[in-house]
Amino acid sequence: KAGVTQTPRYLIKTRGQQVTLSCSPISGHRSVSWYQQTPGQGLQFLFEYFSETQRNKGNFPGRFSGRQFSNSRSEMNVSTLELGDSALYLCASSFSFGGYTEAFFGQGTRLTVV
Amino acid sequence: KNEVEQSPQNLTAQEGEFITINCSYSVGISALHWLQQHPGGGIVSLFMLSSGKKKHGRLIATINIQEKHSSLHITASHPRDSAVYICAVGGSNYKLTFGKGTLLTVNP
């Protein structure tokens, strides 16, 4: 069974540009969550999508957005990039069984903003 | 106060030692995750717990729901166990809240 696939793995962008990151969940998983990891703040929740609908959102500015397609693949977009957006962006796909949720993480996309 | 507190922040051990990393949380949860992250690497989910105890090889994870506390134990530690170990808690809404992580270094 293929794991969670994130593309690209590494990305360098310039301030003011926008970026789109992609996440393909494990087959059959309908929930995809996105997280940002920085040295100062650690891991923080960005948003979560289920069946093409955003169900939860973290405390990030509107420059951070996402979407999910009918095949459960998800993209996140960051517009007007700032230096502080340099981070490892992780996505996780999840499924629930018996009231419990198990999450599987991708390798992440390391974004550097210069 | 952070919702998820881990201790210690840093841990150095000699190969073969028994290691314990602790996680306390202050919110109601449906599950707790222990994650492992190697330097420069992605995150691997080690355990997902909602009660009791789980064992996988040399790793053991326990959770006490009443005390809102979980521990990750590593028996017979090895240098390849060196990594950051992260505790994360989740409710029914799929949103995970993470601890700051414990940096474990196992010396040969």
Side-chain angles (χ1 to χ4, degrees):
Chain A
K1 199 176 193 181
V4 178
T5 303
Q6 288 189 247
T7 56
R9 290 292 310 277
Y10 303 92
L11 204 49
I12 299 175
K13 289 285 191 179
T14 305
R15 268 183 304 175
Q17 287 186 313
Q18 73 154 11
V19 67
T20 299
L21 312 181
S22 178
C23 173
S24 294
I26 290 173
S27 177
H29 290 193
R30 294 164 66 188
S31 170
V32 174
S33 303
W34 287 90
Y35 304 89
Q36 181 197 63
Q37 186 180 39
T38 59
Q41 297 296 322
L43 275 157
Q44 294 183 286
F45 172 76
L46 279 157
F47 28 65
E48 184 253 345
Y49 287 87
F50 182 87
S51 292
E52 301 179 66
T53 300
Q54 186 183 86
R55 293 198 300 188
N56 294 286
K57 191 176 191 306
N59 296 323
F60 279 82
R63 300 184 297 106
F64 292 81
S65 63
R67 59 178 175 167
Q68 186 180 35
F69 301 94
S70 58
N71 62 357
S72 293
R73 187 177 73 85
S74 177
E75 290 180 346
M76 68 163 280
N77 185 278
V78 188
S79 63
T80 319
L81 284 165
E82 300 176 1
L83 294 178
D85 298 332
S86 296
L88 179 68
Y89 291 88
L90 289 155
C91 89
S93 76
S94 305
F95 71 102
S96 284
F97 56 97
Y100 311 129
T101 300
E102 184 144 19
F104 297 83
F105 287 83
Q107 289 292 302
T109 294
R110 186 163 296 281
L111 171 66
T112 302
V113 182
V114 297
Chain B
K1 187 182 188 304
N2 291 330
E3 292 180 337
V4 182
E5 296 276 357
Q6 280 187 242
S7 63
Q9 282 187 298
N10 294 282
L11 183 56
T12 300
Q14 289 301 122
E15 184 173 355
E17 285 185 357
F18 180 84
I19 287 160
T20 296
I21 300 170
N22 295 300
C23 174
S24 296
Y25 53 93
S26 58
V27 296
I29 67 169
S30 65
L32 181 144
H33 301 255
W34 280 104
L35 312 171
Q36 180 193 56
Q37 186 174 34
H38 284 281
I43 286 182
V44 173
S45 179
L46 298 173
F47 294 103
M48 192 272 293
L49 292 164
S50 56
S51 64
K53 175 180 174 178
K54 284 190 177 179
K55 184 175 189 291
H56 184 237
R58 296 180 294 106
L59 301 177
I60 302 166
T62 63
I63 188 169
N64 185 317
I65 296 293
Q66 287 73 32
E67 295 185 3
K68 292 186 166 62
H69 181 268
S70 175
S71 293
L72 175 68
H73 306 286
I74 304 175
T75 62
S77 59
H78 190 276
R80 65 173 175 267
D81 297 326
S82 298
V84 175
Y85 292 84
I86 303 167
C87 169
V89 300
S92 58
N93 61 0
Y94 291 77
K95 172 186 173 183
L96 291 178
T97 303
F98 299 86
K100 296 289 187 188
T102 295
L103 175 60
L104 171 65
T105 303
V106 182
N107 295 317

